[in-house]
Amino acid sequence: TPRGLHAMLVRRSTEAGLGAIITPHSMRTGFASRLYADSRDLLRVSHALGHRRISSTTRYVFLGENASKNYEFQDGRCRF
């Protein structure tokens, strides 16, 4: 279950002494940010996360100051 996964991640991150609590959300954010950092392709990240709208993807990825100059956000939708 989602709650079971969350509880297991919190328990394991605490046991490992990571200093931060790992959650499904933090794992998803980390994955998205790393993929974007490696590829600089927001559409690829959006597709990997299963998002239909770029605006959804930008919640998970730290884009930096100039990211909006690289993409057109006409209707906020990403089409594949």
Side-chain angles (χ1 to χ4, degrees), residues 7-66:
M8 190 242 350
L9 287 171
V10 169
R11 185 175 62 252
R12 298 290 184 184
S13 62
T14 302
E15 289 171 358
L18 296 178
I21 294 178
I22 306 298
T23 64
H25 179 76
S26 66
M27 291 181 67
R28 185 171 172 93
T29 300
F31 167 76
S33 294
R34 183 61 185 198
L35 182 59
Y36 180 74
D38 289 345
S39 69
R40 291 294 186 208
D41 186 351
L42 191 59
L43 295 178
R44 180 177 177 198
V45 177
S46 182
H47 183 68
L49 295 177
H51 294 158
R52 294 178 57 119
R53 295 179 183 269
I54 293 290
S55 59
S56 299
T57 306
T58 59
R59 294 180 195 144
Y60 285 95
V61 179
F62 174 74
L63 297 173
E65 296 175 10
N66 299 320

